[in-house]
Amino acid sequence: MLDQAHYYFLLLLLASGVSAYTASLIWKHRSTPGAYAVLSFTLGMCAWALPYAAYWFTPPAPTRLFWLDATYFGVVVVPGAFFAFTLYYTGRQTLIHGRRLLLLTVEPALTLLLLWTDPWHGLFFAGKQAADSATILDGGPWFWLHVVYSYGLLLISAVWLFQALVRAQWVFRWQAALVLFAGLLPLISNIITFAGLNPLPGLDLTPLSFTLTGLILTYSLYQTGLLDLVPVARGQVVDQMSSGFLVIDRQQRIVDANAAALKLLSELKGTQIDHLIGKPIQTVLVDWHRWVASGPTPNVILDGIANNAKHFTLRVAISPLLDEHQRCQGQVVVLSDITEEKRMERELRQSLNYFQAIFDASTDAIFICDAHTGVIRDTNARASALYLYSREEMVGSRDLNQFNTGIEPFTTKHALQWFEKARTEGPQVFEWMGRDKNNQLMWLDMHIQYTRLGDNDLLLVRASDMTERKHAQQQEFELRLERERVNILTHFMRDASHEFRTPLSVIRTSLYLMSRTDDAARRQAKVEQIELAVNHMVRLIDMLVVLASLDSGIELQRQAVNVNQLVNQVLITARLTAKPLHWDVHLAPALELTQVDPDHLLEALRQLLDNAVRFTPDGGRITVTTKQHGEELVIEVGDTGCGIAEEDLPHIFYRFFRTDDAHTSSGFGLGLPIAKRIIELHGGTLSVTSQVGVGSVFRIELPTVTPVPAV
């Protein structure tokens, strides 16, 4: 048979074992806020029960009191640990944040110090500890201070847990009740022991109650999610929400409301509302029944005037509150102040309207296009008016006539190239030819700029209709051209009339004199003068005909020719002149065959040599040179004539130009213009260098590759 002491020993050993097992379970949840407080609480219960079990296992002896004193290693920990856990559980952990947590260790440390040094001062036991008593029910001043402190912490914890129990939702309410009951069991058993109502004589019931406390906490860990689900969310989330929160029961009464709901409804009503619990929801939301009848989750916007007389907008979102069987037990109402959101929405709408007004009122056509594909995202009214397409026809397309005229380079391909340049190189400005829906061509001044809007790469394309300006420019150009033609014709007629007037005067004078004389010799002399004048006019007419044919854009009859042969051919005629001259001819021996019109090139060379012979004095020197210079054939005709003044050089290729205004020098002033025009038709150039008193050098440069004919 077990005696009383061993029976008590086994009970206390079981209590400490349960506490230790509970501590091991809590250790697995140690990352959860408040876990270390619960762990300290269960370890404190273990440290209380285990020495007390050793006390009952030890035979009566003076050393037996050691184990009774050792129980205080757990006794001093339990109240503070339970108080700390209560602070975490009810959302008041900021009270022991940081160094303030150390305040909970001051009283336990002093208690242990005074207990173990009591023989020297008597502040704890005060000589009242009996050697045969298994309980400590009386003592000195510090003993009773410790009792008041411990019971005070437990009482405060009980009050806060009870408040959490009342305010908690159903899942937290059961959890809070279990925690409250588990925490109060040691307190109740301790009170029973102090009151002398102990059914187990001589045994402190407080450690035994830890067995049931550990079992309750273990059950709460696995069944109610203790340390996983804590009602802190209700205090820290719901009560601190900026949005209002209401819970409505099946009788349409308000059963829960946070502070934000009171504030928002007060602003909506324009009067202060201090209490809502128990009131019908219609007292604050008069259209409640109509909203609920409209659907399961109505969403309503309410406008009001806040206490500060400012416009106030409230969103009311209603959701059903369902139980575990998906049956409606009421509604949850979330109230959100969307005044600022509505203000920003209005401002955004105003900005969009302002932008749209500017967009549509623009006198230029505007396209918003995808920067990569060219697809049109949007257009303005002017674009529709300009291209005669509706906005719906243009948006989403990139192949309309506004980007593809079918005329190079005004095609979709080249438009996309401009788009790419705008995206990679920056804004682009250029002229473009477009086509409207009626296939009418028009000239456009295009401006393209890249921009990024959100995740979209866009191009802003602005097209200004410049068709009328182009027509005006064309008309102005044609007018200037006509004026130039008239001016040229006027000068031509003046110069040509002068050139014709001289031989005609000679003919008229000669005919007059012939009619006044019968002398055969004199009449023959006049006939010869008339013949010279006629020949002069014939040569002038021939040169004018040549110029006219060259100006008409004749097609050259090109063929592969050795230019040296042409030069030799024209030299034969030039050397027949009666003027005594020295000729230096330097022809390159290996010239490439050149595609030229031999008849016209001979004419150009003839005019240059005729010019050299005419202006080179007797005994002078004429030099003719040919050479290959890269892909160009060079022909130079030099003379040692009188030279050309520097101020006259820019004009020598003008028609009828003479260095003397009286036109007393030989020639008509048409040879050099003829030569230059022929060379230009061949795609070459004719230039001159000259020095007065030294002579001149005319240089022909002809491409050996057949060029595009000049027009």
Side-chain angles (χ1 to χ4, degrees), residues 25 128 154 191 198 257 302 366 454 461 581 610 636 638 643 686 704:
L25 296 178
K128 298 179 181 181
L154 293 174
I191 292 174
N198 189 353
L302 299 178
I366 299 177
V461 182
L581 298 173
D610 181 66
E636 291 182 345
L686 175 60
T704 56

Side-chain angles (χ1 to χ4, degrees), residues 7 49 101 128 165 169 171 311 367 414 479 590 612 616 638 664 675 690:
Y7 178 70
L101 180 62
K128 298 179 181 181
L165 173 64
Q169 297 178 4
V171 61
H311 186 78
F367 299 89
H414 289 88
L479 181 60
T616 302
T664 58
S690 184

Side-chain angles (χ1 to χ4, degrees), residues 446-462:
M446 305 292 288
H447 295 252
I448 303 180
Q449 183 170 351
Y450 168 80
T451 185
R452 186 171 180 82
L453 185 61
D455 295 331
N456 298 315
D457 292 335
L458 301 175
L459 289 172
L460 301 181
V461 182
R462 178 168 61 85

Side-chain angles (χ1 to χ4, degrees), residues 503-536:
L504 288 174
S505 297
V506 171
I507 293 173
R508 185 175 61 182
T509 302
S510 297
L511 289 174
Y512 174 78
L513 293 176
M514 287 176 64
S515 65
R516 294 292 187 270
T517 181
D518 293 327
D519 188 342
R522 295 184 65 183
R523 290 176 64 88
Q524 182 61 35
K526 296 304 178 183
V527 169
E528 291 177 357
Q529 289 181 357
I530 292 173
E531 186 177 358
L532 287 174
V534 170
N535 290 337
H536 182 87

